[in-house]
Amino acid sequence: MDTEVLTNAWSRDELEQAHQHFMDTANRCAAAGEWRDWAELFTDDATYVEHTFGTFFGREEIHTWIAATMAEWPNRA
């Protein structure tokens, strides 16, 4: 894999904006207790590896997992 191509694909500003959008979405979803918008940040064919809970495949499975997990104490506000 050519890492030079990967590292030059996006500018620092684009990466910082994308990260901020991810964080803003996560914070908004946490405050509302509704995780659909967060899950929508992932592609339909995403693979999400969570070090404690396991691996989830696809946007819907990611949403099902995060919604259930964050609805339980101590995760919910």
Side-chain angles (χ1 to χ4, degrees), residues 4-77:
E4 176 108 16
V5 172
L6 292 177
T7 58
N8 291 330
W10 299 275
S11 70
R12 180 183 182 99
D13 186 55
E14 288 173 310
L15 292 171
E16 287 176 350
Q17 286 179 25
H19 179 258
Q20 190 60 55
H21 177 66
F22 182 88
M23 297 302 295
D24 291 345
T25 302
N27 289 331
R28 182 172 37 81
C29 290
E34 170 49 57
W35 291 91
R36 174 58 64 188
D37 288 348
W38 183 82
E40 291 292 325
L41 295 174
F42 296 90
T43 60
D44 287 330
D45 63 347
T47 299
Y48 188 92
V49 179
E50 208 296 325
H51 70 285
T52 300
F53 295 99
T55 303
F56 305 93
F57 301 96
R59 183 183 292 150
E60 286 308 311
E61 192 170 300
I62 294 167
H63 177 259
T64 298
W65 161 73
I66 193 70
T69 300
M70 298 308 282
E72 295 181 9
W73 186 90
N75 301 317
R76 69 171 183 234

